[in-house]
Amino acid sequence: MTDHADAAASISANPAPDVSVVRQRVIAGILDFLCLNILALIVNTTFGVVRIISGTLPQAGQTGWYPYTATTSVDWWWLALLAFSYFFVLETLFSTTIGKTGLGLYVIPAANERKSWRITPWQAFLRNILRPIEALQLFYALGAGLLTLICIERTKQHQHLGDLLAHTLVVDKKSLPNPPYPASQPHLRTAILLVVLASLLAGCSAFYYYGRPPLVIESLYNTHQLLGSNIQSYQLGTPAWGTDKNNRSIVTYPIQFKEIYHGKMQTCDGKLTLHWENFPSGWTSDGGYSHCTP
């Protein structure tokens, strides 16, 4: 009997998989949360800019102590897309995630939707489209939102909002008569996933060197360190790449900006140089010069 025939026979037998896995789901959620934090660190470090999240920066001419808190991050919706993509891709390819695999859990279709033991891409999409909403819930830092935990605990088959929308269940893999995929398929899908991840990491590395300088300059602007503390707007020209006397890689940008000086707006032209400090420091400002006219 083939793998597909065995799977069809086991489905027609209509067993009742074990859905009493609330504790395992919480732990799996924490593990997935840690994995997402590693991915978010890579994304924020590569594509993020420094943003002031609290406090006030001093303006031109002001003195004294001005405490503020800053973080390097991308826009929130990129992180929401990252969270969705993490769960969607893994559950589409494997009907599980890294955290769920560690706890022996699978996502399967509910009985009335079940044509196989694996979920469809559409079910994976519906199941995870609410992840950004769940991420905003209280206590999500512990791996699951408060509303999600209540939903899992109170529903008959321990389903969260995404499960109810997609008609899916999270079950103990030991209670399944067959795994969702034939033995050969997970290896092939894992190889494909690793190739994609390696390509993404290579792309991030290349961007960190060649594409990040404008983001470093934007970070300087956000923290009032861009050739002046009262710059209102700026525009970069075509960069010139080279090396300095210490044989460090440098990139120099022509820059035009507007700043307020003694209550009056003036236009300035100049140049700004960054040098490469290797990973993880990356590009660092060497300062620059400018000439301003009222």
Side-chain angles (χ1 to χ4, degrees):
M1 212 175 201
T2 66
D3 288 334
H4 293 293
D6 288 339
S10 66
I11 293 167
S12 63
N14 194 29
D18 181 11
V19 296
S20 300
V21 289
V22 176
R23 182 179 63 84
Q24 295 95 313
R25 290 182 70 173
V26 172
I27 299 173
I30 294 173
L31 294 177
D32 284 325
F33 180 79
L34 294 175
C35 292
L36 269 174
N37 269 270
I38 294 173
L39 293 176
L41 177 62
I42 295 172
V43 169
N44 285 330
T45 302
T46 305
F47 304 103
V49 298
V50 176
R51 305 168 191 271
I52 306 302
I53 58 176
S54 66
T56 304
L57 289 172
Q59 301 299 317
Q62 292 181 328
T63 60
W65 187 46
Y66 291 85
Y68 65 89
T69 303
T71 185
T72 301
S73 66
V74 297
D75 291 326
W76 69 268
W77 50 270
W78 281 112
L79 297 178
L81 180 61
L82 176 67
F84 168 80
S85 300
Y86 171 84
F87 289 98
F88 171 72
V89 170
L90 290 179
E91 290 181 0
T92 296
L93 289 176
F94 307 106
S95 286
T96 189
T97 62
I98 295 173
K100 292 184 182 71
T101 298
L103 274 295
L105 304 177
Y106 272 118
V107 184
I108 67 170
N112 57 338
E113 300 283 335
R114 194 174 300 153
K115 296 180 181 178
S116 74
W117 291 116
R118 57 179 177 265
I119 62 174
T120 65
W122 177 241
Q123 285 178 307
F125 176 86
L126 290 177
R127 188 174 189 276
N128 293 295
I129 196 64
L130 297 178
R131 290 287 179 185
I133 297 175
E134 292 180 336
L136 297 176
Q137 296 172 44
L138 185 62
F139 304 139
Y140 195 78
L142 298 178
L146 182 60
L147 178 59
T148 301
L149 285 175
I150 294 173
C151 191
I152 290 174
E153 183 64 33
R154 293 301 179 91
T155 53
K156 182 178 179 180
Q157 300 189 85
H158 303 296
Q159 295 168 289
H160 71 20
L161 296 176
D163 287 319
L164 295 171
L165 182 63
H167 302 289
T168 55
L169 304 173
V170 177
V171 302
D172 187 337
K173 70 177 183 180
K174 295 177 183 178
S175 66
L176 297 178
N178 296 97
Y181 297 94
S184 61
Q185 285 194 23
H187 299 295
L188 175 61
R189 291 169 183 242
T190 300
I192 294 172
L193 181 62
L194 290 176
V195 169
V196 171
L197 286 176
S199 300
L200 289 175
L201 287 175
C204 286
S205 299
F207 184 91
Y208 195 69
Y209 184 84
Y210 292 105
R212 185 153 179 79
L215 300 181
V216 173
I217 294 173
E218 184 178 348
S219 297
L220 295 172
Y221 170 74
N222 289 343
T223 54
H224 292 188
Q225 300 177 61
L226 181 60
L227 299 178
S229 62
N230 216 12
I231 293 177
Q232 304 302 299
S233 63
Y234 71 93
Q235 185 174 0
L236 299 176
T238 302
W241 298 78
T243 56
D244 62 11
K245 61 183 180 180
N246 297 318
N247 205 33
R248 301 178 303 184
S249 296
I250 61 171
V251 58
T252 300
Y253 282 88
I255 184 171
Q256 184 178 76
F257 59 90
K258 293 183 178 181
E259 70 170 350
I260 298 176
Y261 184 70
H262 291 318
K264 295 182 179 181
M265 184 74 72
Q266 59 181 8
T267 300
C268 306
D269 293 283
K271 289 189 176 181
L272 178 68
T273 299
L274 307 176
H275 71 267
W276 177 253
E277 286 281 6
N278 294 323
F279 187 84
S281 298
W283 292 101
T284 303
S285 174
D286 270 348
Y289 63 88
S290 61
H291 172 72
C292 303
T293 57

